[in-house]
Amino acid sequence: MTQKPALVPKNLLLPFILITSLFALWGFANDITNPMVAAFKRVLELNNTQASWVQMAFYGGYFTMALPAAFFIKKYSYKTGILLGLGLYGFGALLFYPAAAWESYGFFLASLYILTFGLAFLETTANPYILSMGPEATATQRLNLAQAFNPMGALAGLFVAKQFILNALQSNATDSDGNIIFSSLDESAKAVIRTADLMVIRNPYVMLGLVVIAILVIIALVKMPENKETGKVEFKATMSRLLKNRNFVEGTLAQMFYVGAQIMVWTYIYQYAEVLGISNADAVNYGYAALVIFLIGRWVCTFLLRYISPTKLLSIFSGLAILFTAGAIFLPGMAGLYSLVAISFAMSLMFPTIYGIALDGLGEDSKFAAAYLVMAIVGGAIMPTLQGMIMDIGGAAYDDTLILGVPEVNFSFILPLACFVMVLLFSLRVKKVAKLEGFSN
C-alpha cells in the first residue's frame, strides 16, 4: 500500500502554524470592513455607489501593491516581506484616528487603501509560502487547510463590527414605527451624531493597528526559514513564460471574478436584509451564518480533496453557487436571504483551489504569478461598485423599482451569478485538458 505524502513535514510545522495565523489576521480586516459600506452610507448620507468606494479603496490597495510586493520578497525574503506587510497594515489602521478627527470620508478611504498595501504583502508572501511547505502533491490541500483559518479571523471581525460598531451607532436608531430617526434630524443634530459615530467606527481599527504592531514585534523576534534568494530578477522572461501558460492566465481571470462575487455576496447581504425589514445590526447574524458555513465548507473541502480532484470539485461547487445565487435573485422573502447565505458554502473551495491550479508547475515563476493572483483581488474593488450602481437605478433606497419582477437589490446579484459562471467555465476547461492529457486534475 502506497503511503500518502505528508500534508506538512514535521520540520516545517512551526513555520506553517505561524504563517497560517496570518490568514486569520487578514480575514479579520476583510470582515470588519464589509459592514462599513452600510455604516458609512448612513453616517455620511451617501448613495450606494459612493458607499461602495469603501470596497474600491480596500481591494484597490491589493491591486496596487501586489506586484511591488513580489519584487520585494524576490529580492529580500519571505520574513522581511511579512514584517513590511504587518507594518503597513498597522499604520493604515492607526490612520483611522486622524481620519475620524477630520471627519473626512476621503481620509478613511486613504487609510483603508494603505492598510491593504500591507495585506497585499501578506497574501503575496503567505500563499506561495504555504504551497512550498511540503510535497507538491498535497499543495492545494495544504493551502485549503491554511485558508480554513481565514474565516475564523473573519468571524472575529464580524463580531467586532456588530458589537462595537453597528450596535453603537446612534445613526441607526429608530422610532417606535421602525423608521430611522437620523434622516429626519436637522443639520446641527446630525453633526453631533456624525462626530460620535465616526469615533465609534475609529476605535476598533485603532485597536487592531496596535495588535498588528505587537504581532510584528513577535514575528521579528522568532527565527523563521528565510527562503532568501540572491538571483537576478528576470521579470521580462518570467512574464513571457507566464503569459504562455493558459492555466495561469485563465486562473487569474477566474480568481478576479470569484473575488468580485465573494465581496458582493458578503457586502450586500446587509442591504438585502434591510429590504426584508432587518436592521444592519441584526443582519450581522446572517453574515455570521454565511461565514460559519464558509468555514465548514473549507474543512469539508480539505477532506474531499483527498478523494476528488480539485477541478472536478470546483465544477461541482461552481454549479452550486450559480443555483444559490439564482435563488437569491428570484426566491421571495426569507427564502431568498437563506439562499444568499448558502452561497458561502459553495464559495468555500474556490479561492485556494483556483490559486493552486493557476500556480501548479510554475516553480520559481510562482512568486510573480502569485502577485498577479493577488492583484486579481481587484475584482473585489470593481464589482461591488457596479452592483451599487445597479441598486441606484431607482434611487438611493434598495427597492425603489422592480427589475424582472424583483427589487433592484435582488436583481443586482445577477453580477455574482455571471462571475460564478466564469469560474465554472474555467474549471470545465481545465478538467477537459487534464483528461485529454491523462492527468487526474
Side-chain angles (χ1 to χ4, degrees):
M1 180 177 177
T2 304
Q3 187 175 4
K4 289 184 179 294
L7 186 61
V8 182
K10 289 183 180 179
N11 64 314
L12 294 176
L13 189 57
L14 180 58
F16 178 82
I17 292 171
L18 291 172
I19 300 305
T20 296
S21 69
L22 299 178
F23 287 73
L25 197 60
W26 71 67
F28 184 96
N30 287 334
D31 277 82
I32 193 177
T33 300
N34 285 337
M36 294 306 101
V37 175
F40 276 118
K41 181 190 175 185
R42 175 93 15 94
V43 175
L44 299 176
E45 298 182 289
L46 308 171
N47 63 32
N48 293 306
T49 305
Q50 291 169 329
S52 72
W53 276 86
V54 168
Q55 301 293 39
M56 179 68 81
F58 192 91
Y59 291 97
Y62 277 102
F63 180 78
T64 303
M65 196 52 64
L67 193 56
F71 275 104
F72 185 88
I73 63 174
K74 180 83 173 177
K75 185 175 181 181
Y76 296 101
S77 68
Y78 282 126
K79 181 175 181 178
T80 306
I82 287 169
L83 294 177
L84 181 56
L86 289 169
L88 289 167
Y89 183 172
F91 178 64
L94 292 174
L95 284 177
F96 266 60
Y97 193 94
W102 286 25
E103 299 190 7
S104 168
Y105 185 48
F107 204 151
F108 279 112
L109 296 179
S111 302
L112 285 171
Y113 188 56
I114 293 170
L115 184 155
T116 51
F117 284 177
L119 300 188
F121 264 90
L122 295 181
E123 293 211 38
T124 302
T125 304
N127 284 295
Y129 201 8
I130 290 293
L131 288 173
S132 71
M133 288 184 179
E136 188 172 334
T138 57
T140 299
Q141 186 186 1
R142 188 163 50 253
L143 186 57
N144 268 277
L145 175 59
Q147 287 275 357
F149 289 85
N150 177 267
M152 294 182 183
L155 281 167
L158 203 55
F159 174 81
V160 171
K162 178 181 180 180
Q163 298 298 325
F164 299 101
I165 299 179
L166 297 179
N167 280 345
L169 292 177
Q170 296 179 42
S171 56
N172 280 340
T174 58
D175 59 23
S176 58
D177 296 323
N179 299 312
I180 297 294
I181 297 171
F182 183 71
S183 58
S184 64
L185 299 176
D186 59 41
E187 284 305 314
S188 60
K190 284 182 178 179
V192 172
I193 291 176
R194 185 176 296 116
T195 298
D197 280 1
L198 291 177
M199 299 298 178
V200 168
I201 292 172
R202 174 201 72 185
N203 293 338
Y205 280 91
V206 172
M207 289 300 299
L208 173 62
L210 295 174
V211 169
V212 169
I213 297 300
I215 294 173
L216 184 157
V217 173
I218 292 170
I219 292 181
L221 296 174
V222 173
K223 186 175 182 180
M224 298 268 298
E226 289 292 334
N227 288 60
K228 187 171 181 179
E229 301 175 21
T230 56
K232 183 180 178 182
V233 178
E234 297 179 346
F235 178 70
K236 186 175 180 181
T238 299
M239 285 308 305
S240 178
R241 290 191 295 269
L242 289 177
L243 290 174
K244 293 176 183 177
N245 188 301
R246 189 172 177 183
N247 276 7
F248 165 73
V249 173
E250 293 184 5
T252 302
L253 291 172
Q255 197 74 292
M256 182 184 72
F257 285 113
Y258 162 67
V259 174
Q262 182 200 78
I263 303 309
M264 286 187 284
V265 168
W266 287 354
T267 296
Y268 292 116
I269 192 170
Y270 304 96
Q271 290 80 347
Y272 192 104
E274 190 171 316
V275 169
L276 299 176
I278 302 168
S279 71
N280 287 163
D282 289 337
V284 171
N285 294 325
Y286 296 94
Y288 278 138
L291 282 173
V292 167
I293 67 170
F294 185 82
L295 176 59
I296 292 170
R298 278 274 165 90
W299 290 108
V300 169
C301 291
T302 299
F303 171 77
L304 290 177
L305 283 167
R306 296 189 73 87
Y307 307 99
I308 304 174
S309 70
T311 51
K312 183 176 181 179
L313 206 56
L314 184 61
S315 298
I316 294 169
F317 274 61
S318 300
L320 284 174
I322 291 168
L323 180 65
F324 290 140
T325 308
I329 296 171
F330 295 110
L331 291 178
M334 293 302 296
L337 181 57
Y338 294 146
S339 189
L340 179 56
V341 170
I343 296 171
S344 292
F345 181 81
M347 293 193 300
S348 62
L349 173 84
M350 293 184 185
F351 185 93
T353 303
I354 295 170
Y355 198 100
I357 292 170
L359 293 187
D360 185 40
L362 293 181
E364 282 304 307
D365 290 343
S366 65
K367 288 186 174 61
F368 282 114
Y372 280 96
L373 284 164
V374 173
M375 289 174 72
I377 290 174
V378 74
I382 298 170
M383 299 296 182
T385 299
L386 295 177
Q387 191 171 4
M389 292 171 68
I390 292 175
M391 286 190 286
D392 277 334
I393 288 175
Y398 309 126
D399 55 352
D400 302 293
T401 188
L402 299 180
I403 303 174
L404 297 182
V406 297
E408 68 257 62
V409 67
N410 292 53
F411 178 78
S412 70
F413 282 90
I414 195 73
L415 287 180
L417 188 147
C419 290
F420 290 131
V421 168
M422 298 303 294
V423 174
L424 175 61
L425 292 175
F426 167 71
S427 66
L428 292 174
R429 204 281 303 168
V430 175
K431 187 171 182 290
K432 180 180 178 182
V433 171
K435 186 176 181 180
L436 289 174
E437 293 178 353
F439 296 108
S440 59
N441 286 354

